Amino acid sequence: MSIIFKQNKKLFTIHTKNSTYQMHISKYGHLIHNYYGSKVEDMDLSYLIRGVNRGFSGTPYEAIDDRGYSLDTYPQEYSTYGIGDYRSSCLTVEHIDGSQAIELIYDSHKIYSGKYHLNGLPAIWAKENEAQTLEITLKDKYSKIKVILSYGVLEELDVITRACKIYNDGETPIYLNKALSCCIDFWQDNMEMISFYGRHAMERTLQRRKIEHGKLSVGSVRGTSSHQQNPFVILCETGTDEDHGKCYGASFVYSGNFIAEAEVDQINHTRFVMGIHPEGFRYYIESKESFLTPEVIFVYSDTGIGAMSNKIHDLYRNHLIRSKFIKERRPVLLNNWEATEFDFTQEQLVDIAKTGNELGIELFVMDDGWFGKRDHDKAGLGDWFPNDKKLPNGVKGLADQIHNLGMKFGIWIEPEMINEDSDLYRNHPDWCLSIPNRQPNVERGQLVLDMSRTDVREYLYDSISKILDTAQVDYVKWDMNRNLSDIWSATLPSNRQGEVSHRYVLGVYELMERFVSNYPNILWEGCSGGGGRFDAGILYYMPQIWCSDNTDAIERISIQYGTSFGYPISCMGAHVSNIPNQQTGRTTSISTRAEVAMAGTFGYEMDLRTLNEEEKEIVRLQIQELKKYYDVIQYGDYYRLTNPLEKQELAIWQFVDKDKKKSLVSVVALRTRANAPFSKVCLKGLKEDGFYQIGDGKELYRGSALMRAGLNIPVLKGDYPSLHFYIREVE
Ligand code: GLA
């Protein structure tokens, strides 16, 4: 049993393989958090809580003579606003009289096998015997509002998920002005937050900061999870590195606004909260209605960040992503975007695909520009019917030609968007998010459709499924190329406008669910100007996400490095593109470009016709090699052997299959030097006493030698040269 309730002590304990999470019901009925960290067997940890009378930290009324009992200093399981806990709160409720306070008292609980579901929201899933759920119902001391805290426990993976439901059991409506998903209070002030910031074409750059007095907050109010901050953070103790120390990965399974906030309080405890960003958020809850928060996943490791990442990778591959492609080899892809942008004819596309086919490409993807009057980025979005100049025989005409070559065929869509220059806008100007009597903010010449509207979603489903039903489409890239602004929905009354951002996300999820469940044989790829919506929410619907619009191999090393902390390699869209690189102007060899793209879903994004014969041969071999390594890369463990942000000369990463029999080590030189010193690297994840062969070499190396003494890296010459070692156990 991973969840234990001790009635006599009113104690809830959750054990995973390597962690313990504990809380108790206090004598006044509050749910007090005892501990979350390395495993502690069979122990009531309430002794950690010390009630000391501190000035300016009050007590609940009934504890008037018990001055040490303060909600401002006791660790809380779900912190609320308005009742004397002045640290970051999770919940602000506005009652009918305008007051904003809620004090939660234990009411009841349930423990059951399997994992809870969240209606309409993505979440971790598990079979009955793979997970357990704890549901604790809390009630406001004075009103009839209930909060049901849900905990999902996947013992083997050291995973605890959290979400909650706020239920209005009273007779009058309420507003939620803030409704986060979780709070954790830690007994320490030596913690750091690792977060992943960026911008378009430079996503998920690692940043590590000490959590101190005052709030450290990352988040997004862009309507999407965003390029600028990712909804995945790591909390760790000072000194924690890839292989040592305690850390907690916290991932928000949501694709909209979010906040992840931490602070050290007045008595040097650390509080962490995560959930939907409260800015612009205001939810109206009628009597007998409820609000469900999205899920936060916690993954614990006391053997460093590397182990935490591998647990998250396994979790997402086995308990988040549902697509059948998570277990199948995905076809090697060729996308025409960087080759042609909007300017193509059917003939040209077929010609590009043909060259790809000769080299071993298996899937051809027609990107943006195939529909409506989409000859540039200011027209066409919303008109999901083929552009008859570019595709005289419709999408089917091209799809058939591609299939006749023996290849699979895919398309690009951007369902959530609309151009003013489109039939859709001319017919339904009120279908986009915009505020009456204000000119909307425009990005890339486009506006955002109001995805909270059923009629908008119906239109999108009907028009896009018409394409999917008439042509054989094997792959769809679902893009989203701007952030939300001017948020106002024509279908909601004024007191419900604070719901629109969240309703937008729910609408997107509903539409995605409809598409992916009705077209399960399509390989779906998420995208938002590259990696602007790279989050666990999207992965519930789609097994892969285009990692970045930056296809420069050297920049990609850092982007993919940052992404790997919280997401499996098999979900990172990565392609070989042309040189000089479109975004940076840098030139790298086709081998180095492929080395980097191999640490992802692997494909090409260029006009392969421009390659010379020698390069074409290299591409042919790359594709054959990739197939050899595919299983190790996509299903194995992943190790970051160097940190490319630290200006080291070599970027090195490693894959090891689950049986520790095969490993692939990739090396890219970020800087080359004359009379270069020797380099070696210590590998990870091999069998200590196994014997390994490197490539076709004759010599055998003990796993312990490769892991402790190291592997020699030859001196590499040229601009950004690369190589890899394929290592196999010899029994
Ligand atoms: C976004 C995507 C690109 C490409 C363009 C097309 O920027 O990330 O890969 O599809 O849109 O407009």
Side-chain angles (χ1 to χ4, degrees), residues 483-605:
N483 291 136
L484 274 53
S485 67
D486 305 278
I487 294 165
W488 193 86
S489 173
T491 57
L492 289 170
S494 60
N495 68 328
R496 302 202 87 145
Q497 294 297 330
E499 303 175 17
V500 178
S501 296
H502 180 58
R503 286 181 181 274
Y504 177 95
V505 179
L506 294 180
V508 170
Y509 286 155
E510 192 212 63
L511 189 62
M512 283 186 175
E513 182 66 38
R514 215 166 149 195
F515 274 117
V516 302
S517 55
N518 289 337
Y519 299 93
N521 294 324
I522 289 181
L523 169 58
W524 295 86
E525 176 155 358
C527 180
S528 175
R533 204 163 54 179
F534 204 113
D535 56 63
I538 296 295
L539 290 179
Y540 181 73
Y541 303 95
M542 304 179 181
Q544 59 192 57
I545 304 172
W546 181 226
C547 200
S548 177
D549 274 349
N550 186 341
T551 57
D552 175 282
I554 303 307
E555 297 254 278
R556 265 299 181 113
I557 291 175
S558 302
I559 298 171
Q560 292 172 197
Y561 169 82
T563 308
S564 77
F565 282 83
Y567 303 92
I569 305 310
S570 63
C571 75
M572 293 185 213
H575 300 163
V576 175
S577 64
N578 223 333
I579 45 162
N581 180 267
Q582 249 189 29
Q583 296 83 32
T584 62
R586 189 185 345 242
T587 296
T588 51
S589 71
I590 190 120
S591 306
T592 294
R593 279 173 276 154
E595 197 65 53
V596 176
M598 259 195 330
T601 56
F602 197 76
Y604 294 79
E605 177 134 355

Side-chain angles (χ1 to χ4, degrees), residues 167 551 688:
Y167 177 65
T551 57
E688 290 276 336

Side-chain angles (χ1 to χ4, degrees), residues 83-305:
I83 52 152
D85 176 358
Y86 300 99
R87 298 165 289 178
S88 297
S89 67
C90 289
L91 183 67
T92 307
V93 176
E94 187 182 322
H95 303 273
I96 191 93
D97 63 0
S99 64
Q100 297 191 49
I102 180 162
E103 185 176 341
L104 298 174
I105 300 294
Y106 171 83
D107 180 57
S108 60
H109 76 270
K110 275 200 290 201
I111 296 173
Y112 55 88
S113 306
K115 160 95 186 10
Y116 63 82
H117 302 279
L118 298 175
N119 258 347
L121 282 166
I124 292 295
W125 46 268
K127 294 196 198 107
E128 280 274 301
N129 59 353
E130 290 171 328
Q132 259 196 316
T133 294
L134 166 64
E135 267 175 28
I136 305 178
T137 302
L138 307 173
K139 251 170 93 175
D140 182 19
K141 203 149 83 181
Y142 301 99
S143 76
K144 285 192 163 172
I145 297 161
K146 288 184 177 167
V147 173
I148 299 125
L149 304 180
S150 297
Y151 300 78
V153 185
L154 280 81
E155 194 175 346
E156 274 307 299
L157 287 167
D158 289 319
V159 166
I160 299 177
T161 66
R162 289 191 56 177
C164 62
K165 184 167 157 177
I166 295 111
Y167 177 65
N168 180 8
D169 205 9
E171 303 308 320
T172 51
I174 55 168
Y175 286 100
L176 301 180
N177 292 333
K178 186 179 190 185
L180 305 193
S181 302
C182 67
C183 163
I184 296 191
D185 281 333
F186 296 94
W187 289 109
Q188 53 197 99
D189 66 346
N190 63 339
M191 294 184 86
E192 296 174 348
M193 188 197 276
I194 300 176
S195 57
F196 300 88
Y197 72 93
R199 56 184 182 272
H200 176 234
M202 199 60 226
E203 298 88 338
R204 291 171 298 287
T205 311
L206 181 144
Q207 172 168 260
R208 185 167 177 157
R209 284 179 289 174
K210 178 135 178 49
I211 303 167
E212 296 182 318
H213 296 276
K215 287 174 183 162
L216 174 58
S217 175
V218 299
S220 163
V221 290
R222 294 171 172 268
T224 63
S225 48
S226 91
H227 299 85
Q228 286 73 8
Q229 295 288 348
N230 193 265
F232 170 73
V233 299
I234 302 167
L235 304 171
C236 61
E237 290 187 355
T238 306
T240 298
D241 62 19
E242 287 284 350
D243 305 299
H244 314 92
K246 297 175 183 162
C247 59
Y248 309 76
S251 179
F252 195 35
V253 192
Y254 189 63
S255 310
N257 294 344
F258 78 94
I259 188 165
E261 189 170 273
E263 63 170 326
V264 174
D265 70 8
Q266 56 175 339
I267 50 171
N268 290 1
H269 297 160
T270 301
R271 168 165 290 182
F272 174 73
V273 294
M274 197 173 203
I276 294 180
H277 203 296
E279 196 159 358
F281 175 92
R282 189 164 196 244
Y283 239 84
Y284 178 73
I285 316 277
E286 289 274 15
S287 164
K288 311 297 172 200
E289 284 187 353
S290 61
F291 179 81
L292 204 53
T293 74
E295 176 167 280
V296 174
I297 300 167
F298 288 99
V299 182
Y300 182 70
S301 157
D302 52 12
T303 52
I305 299 170

Side-chain angles (χ1 to χ4, degrees), residues 264-552:
V264 174
D265 70 8
Q266 56 175 339
I267 50 171
N268 290 1
H269 297 160
T270 301
R271 168 165 290 182
F272 174 73
V273 294
M274 197 173 203
I276 294 180
H277 203 296
E279 196 159 358
F281 175 92
R282 189 164 196 244
Y283 239 84
Y284 178 73
I285 316 277
E286 289 274 15
S287 164
K288 311 297 172 200
E289 284 187 353
S290 61
F291 179 81
L292 204 53
T293 74
E295 176 167 280
V296 174
I297 300 167
F298 288 99
V299 182
Y300 182 70
S301 157
D302 52 12
T303 52
I305 299 170
M308 186 227 50
S309 290
N310 276 319
K311 287 181 212 185
I312 290 205
H313 295 182
D314 284 344
L315 179 75
Y316 287 8
R317 286 183 296 209
N318 300 319
H319 297 282
L320 176 66
I321 298 170
R322 298 171 297 168
S323 161
K324 66 172 198 169
F325 290 96
I326 197 69
K327 299 220 158 62
E328 283 179 21
R329 185 174 72 73
R330 285 167 240 176
V332 178
L333 164 160
L334 174 61
N335 176 304
N336 73 308
W337 175 246
E338 286 201 15
T340 66
E341 296 207 344
F342 300 104
D343 187 16
F344 57 81
T345 62
Q346 175 162 338
E347 239 176 20
Q348 263 170 340
L349 294 188
V350 174
D351 210 40
I352 293 175
K354 248 187 207 155
T355 309
N357 185 40
E358 284 159 18
L359 304 183
I361 300 280
E362 298 160 314
L363 160 68
F364 177 76
V365 177
M366 170 174 63
D367 209 279
D368 195 355
W370 59 266
F371 49 88
K373 293 208 187 84
R374 189 76 172 159
D375 292 327
H376 47 75
D377 66 11
K378 281 177 80 175
L381 286 172
D383 293 344
W384 297 110
F385 46 83
N387 175 310
D388 47 18
K389 282 205 204 84
K390 292 181 193 168
L391 300 174
N393 303 309
V395 175
K396 184 173 168 24
L398 176 63
D400 287 348
Q401 275 192 289
I402 301 293
H403 282 119
N404 286 341
L405 295 172
M407 298 171 86
K408 293 186 186 304
F409 172 72
I411 59 169
W412 176 99
I413 55 173
E414 193 179 358
E416 299 153 66
M417 297 294 152
I418 182 165
N419 286 119
E420 282 176 299
D421 185 2
S422 67
D423 291 351
L424 187 67
Y425 187 83
R426 283 181 280 274
N427 293 332
H428 301 282
D430 60 326
W431 275 14
C432 62
L433 293 177
S434 69
I435 303 173
N437 307 318
R438 279 177 196 270
Q439 293 286 20
N441 182 275
V442 192
E443 237 180 284
R444 210 193 188 204
Q446 62 198 57
L447 301 175
V448 185
L449 281 172
D450 179 357
M451 296 297 290
S452 72
R453 291 177 67 139
T454 335
D455 47 3
V456 168
R457 298 198 301 270
E458 277 307 310
Y459 163 77
L460 291 170
Y461 187 81
D462 289 348
S463 56
I464 295 168
S465 60
K466 201 180 266 172
I467 306 276
L468 305 181
D469 293 339
T470 45
Q472 192 189 327
V473 176
D474 309 293
Y475 162 104
V476 175
K477 175 174 167 190
W478 181 311
D479 210 340
M480 198 280 188
N481 276 318
R482 63 158 289 176
N483 291 136
L484 274 53
S485 67
D486 305 278
I487 294 165
W488 193 86
S489 173
T491 57
L492 289 170
S494 60
N495 68 328
R496 302 202 87 145
Q497 294 297 330
E499 303 175 17
V500 178
S501 296
H502 180 58
R503 286 181 181 274
Y504 177 95
V505 179
L506 294 180
V508 170
Y509 286 155
E510 192 212 63
L511 189 62
M512 283 186 175
E513 182 66 38
R514 215 166 149 195
F515 274 117
V516 302
S517 55
N518 289 337
Y519 299 93
N521 294 324
I522 289 181
L523 169 58
W524 295 86
E525 176 155 358
C527 180
S528 175
R533 204 163 54 179
F534 204 113
D535 56 63
I538 296 295
L539 290 179
Y540 181 73
Y541 303 95
M542 304 179 181
Q544 59 192 57
I545 304 172
W546 181 226
C547 200
S548 177
D549 274 349
N550 186 341
T551 57
D552 175 282

